[in-house]
Amino acid sequence: MDEHESQVMPVAPVAAVVELLGRDGRVAVVQRVTQWPARIGRSPACDIVLDDAHLAAEHAELQLAPDGAVRLKLLDSRNGGSIAGKRLAAGDEAALPAGGAFQLAGCALRLRTSADVLAPEQLLIVQPTRHWALLPLLLLSMLFFQWLDRWSASDPDARWIDYASPLLAPLALVLGWAGLWSLASQLFQHRFPFATHLRRVLLVIVALQVLEWLLPAVAYAFSWPRLLVLESLAEPVAGAALVAWHARLVWPGARRTLNIGITALLLLGLGLQVGKRQEQQYVFGPPYLASLPPPALRVAKPQPAEALIESLKPLQAELARQARKDNEDLDGDE
């Protein structure tokens, strides 16, 4: 008799836990299974106690079969449960599928045992420690360039209050941008890395501001007006890179999908920009400089006036054609 009983004795796993999953699929609560069968419900007498008003005092029971499989049996309850989408009412029972997922009322649960294969350990990405002065330095740099732009476009007798809006509005926009991305990180990653998001947006903005002042100076110094096309391309490219950079913190698992989507939108925007430039008769930047830096920055040798006149000759045929078209339209209107 004893030998027969030993043959049908259930083979219990060394250890088992029941996990309560949140809406995002993350584990919210873990409770160890200390004995079989294990009852689940709101009653303190249960082995797995869950605080959910939609559960009965003793809602369900996990039973260990002789072959080591675990079965779920629904006890007397109004809301029942389900396994793999199959509805279970009071008195029903079914074997747990691979992975141990099951539903009791509105609770998503999962049984994990020591016999289950664990997922490989994930690499912990530790953000490098930044110097404490980097963030204030970036903020001051952004405000300095904003002030410089305002100063260069204002009258010498402008009041200090005239600088308030150009300085405070971009600052509020940057802080709000970093705050929204930090809220997204809190929602999906359960952390609020405001300083990291703020640092990233400031790095991109300051780089664009430096490029805005540097490109005209280099183009003027070496007589490369076509270099200014980089200025118009820098904003959409930097914007797309910034969004992808922020998204790496919020959705690290969907990095490839996000990069593909952002790149597709960037190419579409650049295509529309090229089409607009073709209507303006230039694609690779304007053929002239709208503003001239100080002459001391000039490195290229000056060209004689004859060279300018010679470079304008290709425009003669186009101007003549446009003049004939205008005259024909005028005659038609008369």
Side-chain angles (χ1 to χ4, degrees), residues 197-324:
H197 285 294
L198 181 61
R199 186 184 305 112
R200 293 187 175 188
V201 65
L202 287 175
L203 281 171
V204 173
I205 289 178
V206 172
L208 286 175
Q209 290 174 326
V210 171
L211 195 65
E212 181 182 358
W213 283 87
L214 185 62
L215 277 180
V218 175
Y220 169 76
F222 296 96
S223 190
W224 295 339
R226 301 294 187 183
L227 189 65
L228 293 181
V229 70
L230 297 178
E231 184 177 358
S232 57
L233 292 177
E235 291 185 3
V237 173
L242 177 61
V243 171
W245 203 10
H246 283 305
R248 288 181 59 182
L249 285 180
V250 180
W251 305 286
R255 182 184 307 176
R256 182 177 179 181
T257 303
L258 289 170
N259 289 340
I260 292 175
I262 293 172
T263 303
L265 292 176
L266 173 62
L267 294 177
L268 178 61
L270 292 178
L272 296 175
Q273 187 176 6
V274 169
K276 182 178 179 180
R277 286 181 175 274
Q278 286 180 341
E279 294 179 357
Q280 298 173 352
Q281 299 180 358
Y282 65 89
V283 178
F284 299 105
Y288 57 88
L289 294 174
S291 60
L292 298 179
L297 299 177
R298 186 71 173 177
V299 176
K301 295 181 179 180
Q303 299 293 327
E306 291 78 6
L308 175 62
I309 297 175
E310 189 69 21
S311 65
L312 295 177
K313 284 184 177 180
L315 296 177
Q316 183 177 1
E318 178 64 24
L319 293 175
R321 185 188 66 82
Q322 188 65 36
R324 287 194 301 270

Side-chain angles (χ1 to χ4, degrees), residues 165-182:
S165 178
L167 295 181
L168 296 181
L171 179 60
L173 183 62
V174 167
L175 294 177
W177 174 273
L180 289 176
W181 280 104
S182 301

Side-chain angles (χ1 to χ4, degrees), residues 19-86:
E19 298 173 338
L20 175 65
L21 306 180
R23 293 184 177 181
D24 56 356
R26 292 176 175 269
V27 178
V29 178
V30 179
Q31 294 196 36
R32 182 178 292 276
V33 177
T34 57
Q35 64 179 6
W36 301 95
R39 291 210 165 189
I40 304 174
R42 287 187 295 118
S43 172
C46 291
D47 303 292
I48 306 296
V49 181
L50 299 176
D51 184 16
D52 191 324
H54 301 96
L55 293 176
E58 296 182 352
H59 197 98
E61 189 176 74
L62 292 174
Q63 300 175 345
L64 187 63
D67 58 356
V70 179
R71 299 182 64 84
L72 175 69
K73 180 179 179 181
L74 271 293
L75 303 177
D76 188 15
S77 63
R78 298 177 61 184
N79 295 314
S82 61
I83 293 180
K86 181 181 178 181

Side-chain angles (χ1 to χ4, degrees), residues 120-181:
E121 179 185 6
Q122 295 185 3
L123 178 64
L124 176 62
I125 301 177
V126 180
Q127 296 295 329
T129 303
R130 305 292 183 179
H131 195 271
W132 64 270
L134 179 60
L135 195 57
L137 181 61
L138 289 173
L139 278 172
L140 291 176
S141 300
M142 185 194 73
L143 294 177
F144 169 75
F145 282 110
Q146 292 294 130
W147 171 84
L148 192 61
D149 287 338
R150 182 63 179 177
W151 173 80
S152 62
S154 301
D155 296 331
D157 297 332
R159 300 172 300 170
W160 66 270
I161 195 66
D162 297 332
Y163 292 86
S165 178
L167 295 181
L168 296 181
L171 179 60
L173 183 62
V174 167
L175 294 177
W177 174 273
L180 289 176
W181 280 104

Side-chain angles (χ1 to χ4, degrees), residues 4-13 36 63-71 93:
H4 177 70
E5 290 179 353
S6 62
Q7 291 177 356
V8 298
M9 183 72 66
V11 181
W36 301 95
Q63 300 175 345
L64 187 63
D67 58 356
V70 179
R71 299 182 64 84
E93 63 176 276

